Amino acid sequence: MPLYRKLEALKLARSNYKGKALGVVPTMGALHLGHLSLIAKAKRESEAVWVTIFVNPTQFEKKDDLDKYPESLTADVASVHEIGADINIFAPTATDMYPEGLAAKKQTLDGLDTLMEGADRSGHFDGVITIIAKLFEILQPHLAYFGEKDFQQLQVIKKWAKDQHILTKIIPCPVVREANGLAMSSRNAQLSPKDRKEAGFIYEAMLQCKNKSLDKPAIYTIIKKTFSAHPNFDLLYVLCAEEDSLKEVHDLVSANKPRLFISVSVTGVRLIDNVALK
Ligand code: PAF
């Protein structure tokens, strides 16, 4: 399977795919079944697939978070290979991606980037868009696949792509969960086995909310009460928000596509999840 580490080699290889419907799955590696479901979907829907593996420094606001982000290139290459020996992997260096220095370009995202994950992680989405813009520029994909676990990221990318008249179609893919309901994430590997098992309560509580007749105060009460029984899990925020604007919903019954969003910190590991409430 073709693995490209150098930008020049990648550009040359990309030029051989002219006229083909190309799908890209941008990742930061440490691939899990969630990523693999995106890659398998891309393989079914595109004539050629590129998986990018790059731990993007400009989207991390804390150096220790970047330093401890898991990396497993050899295992990642093997997992992609199982889906298709013809899938291309691009795992560039930071110098190739940021020849001008590690800086994110400030984006105008109508506030989508300053709430929830953006409120706590200033400049995070500027970093995400900066790297996605670079990858799209290099690969010129027709289709790009993103998981709904990072729902805010998906909406931010969709907004940027629309505003910038990007021709790549953004394809949302459903959350894939571990057996206990925990949303799959590369960060789950940083949890202790005990915390990882216990973390199943997050999705269970979210499912209880789904059946709560769209009563927002009752939903917030369930979530806060559930978390008080799991003191090592720190609830960073819980929010009922409208899917497209990500603005907090006041009346869930009349709301357009409301979702429940949660962010949690456990022993310094940040977990996020969301479910549709209607
Ligand atoms: O979701 C991720 O893994 C990253 O934010 C992405 C989209 C690959 C950009 O670095």
Side-chain angles (χ1 to χ4, degrees):
M1 173 177 25
L3 166 65
Y4 299 92
R5 305 299 314 260
K6 286 273 151 220
L7 191 53
E8 282 318 310
L10 167 101
K11 281 185 181 163
L12 195 65
R14 172 64 183 90
S15 65
N16 295 328
Y17 288 94
K18 278 204 183 96
K20 293 228 164 135
L22 195 142
V24 68
V25 184
T27 81
M28 296 204 296
L31 301 183
H32 50 68
L33 291 177
H35 293 117
L36 301 185
S37 73
L38 267 58
I39 298 168
K41 185 168 162 66
K43 175 134 179 72
R44 289 194 299 276
E45 297 177 353
S46 329
E47 286 175 280
V49 178
W50 289 83
V51 175
T52 68
I53 297 181
F54 179 63
V55 183
N56 174 35
T58 65
Q59 69 188 76
F60 288 80
E61 73 292 4
K62 289 193 193 126
K63 190 172 172 321
D64 66 321
D65 193 22
L66 171 63
D67 289 345
K68 66 181 190 212
Y69 200 85
E71 284 187 59
S72 53
L73 186 61
T74 310
D76 291 349
V77 170
S79 306
V80 175
H81 197 173
E82 286 206 1
I83 299 177
D86 56 341
I87 298 175
N88 301 285
I89 298 183
F90 178 43
T93 60
T95 319
D96 262 357
M97 293 314 288
Y98 290 96
E100 68 292 351
L102 287 177
K105 193 166 167 220
K106 181 88 198 97
Q107 308 291 327
T108 308
L109 296 159
D110 268 1
L112 280 186
D113 55 330
T114 51
L115 31 83
M116 293 196 281
E117 289 307 288
D120 282 358
R121 308 172 67 189
S122 161
H124 167 68
F125 290 108
D126 289 336
V128 170
I129 296 299
T130 300
I131 193 65
I132 293 299
K134 286 173 185 274
L135 292 170
F136 279 18
E137 171 75 30
I138 298 164
L139 285 165
Q140 301 283 320
H142 301 86
L143 306 167
Y145 296 79
F146 296 92
E148 286 187 338
K149 201 261 302 167
D150 296 296
F151 202 88
Q152 184 178 9
Q153 168 173 280
L154 173 67
Q155 297 304 64
V156 163
I157 292 172
K158 276 188 163 130
K159 161 134 190 72
W160 162 78
K162 185 164 175 257
D163 290 355
Q164 299 302 316
H165 309 287
I166 303 287
L167 296 177
T168 306
K169 189 169 173 205
I170 308 298
I171 317 269
C173 305
V175 182
V176 179
R177 298 183 179 278
E178 300 193 356
N180 65 354
L182 176 65
M184 286 204 182
S185 162
S186 304
R187 291 178 189 269
N188 294 356
Q190 298 172 9
L191 297 174
S192 70
K194 181 184 158 291
D195 286 343
R196 191 162 179 166
K197 192 160 168 232
E198 187 178 342
F201 85 86
I202 302 171
Y203 184 54
E204 263 172 42
M206 294 179 95
L207 284 183
Q208 270 186 52
C209 296
K210 216 172 148 68
N211 305 326
K212 253 301 162 208
S213 314
L214 299 174
D215 174 348
K216 194 173 79 167
I219 288 175
Y220 288 172
T221 303
I222 290 180
I223 296 295
K224 287 180 183 156
K225 215 169 142 200
T226 310
F227 271 79
S228 62
H230 298 271
N232 48 333
F233 287 72
D234 194 10
L235 178 63
L236 301 175
Y237 60 75
V238 51
L239 193 74
C240 295
E242 198 260 345
E243 211 173 278
D244 293 325
S245 68
L246 299 180
K247 294 228 167 74
E248 182 165 18
V249 158
H250 295 293
D251 174 21
L252 283 173
V253 177
S254 61
N256 183 26
K257 297 187 279 176
R259 264 183 188 262
L260 176 63
F261 294 89
I262 272 193
S263 180
V264 180
S265 169
V266 51
T267 56
V269 182
R270 196 175 176 105
L271 306 174
I272 53 172
D273 203 349
N274 68 90
V275 290
L277 287 169
K278 272 189 196 167

